[in-house]
Amino acid sequence: MSRRYENSSIILTSNKTFSQWGEVLGDGIIATAILDRLLHHSRVFSIDGQSFRMKNKATE
């Protein structure tokens, strides 16, 4: 991450909201610091809807 910062793109996906990252990482302060660095100069795309994988699983 450090080498790519401000040099090239990073695509990161998650099924957790930003507010849930502290719980996932076990430390809200660390999660805030990580998100601060990840979100600097970023574009966030939020996609809502049914999971494509779960949709296919329901038909099996």
Side-chain angles (χ1 to χ4, degrees):
M1 290 293 232
S2 295
R3 284 182 274 164
R4 295 183 70 89
Y5 182 68
E6 293 192 356
N7 291 311
S8 56
S9 298
I10 298 169
I11 297 175
L12 180 70
T13 63
S14 175
N15 64 344
K16 302 295 183 188
T17 62
F18 295 138
S19 62
Q20 294 174 309
W21 278 45
E23 182 181 327
V24 171
L25 297 174
D27 188 326
I29 294 171
I30 296 294
T32 300
I34 290 170
L35 288 169
D36 181 57
R37 286 156 181 81
L38 284 173
L39 296 174
H40 186 241
H41 297 306
S42 72
R43 294 184 185 166
V44 176
F45 297 92
S46 180
I47 302 171
D48 293 323
Q50 186 178 10
S51 166
F52 186 74
R53 289 178 290 172
M54 295 305 288
K55 179 181 169 185
N56 288 338
K57 192 151 189 89
T59 61
E60 291 178 359

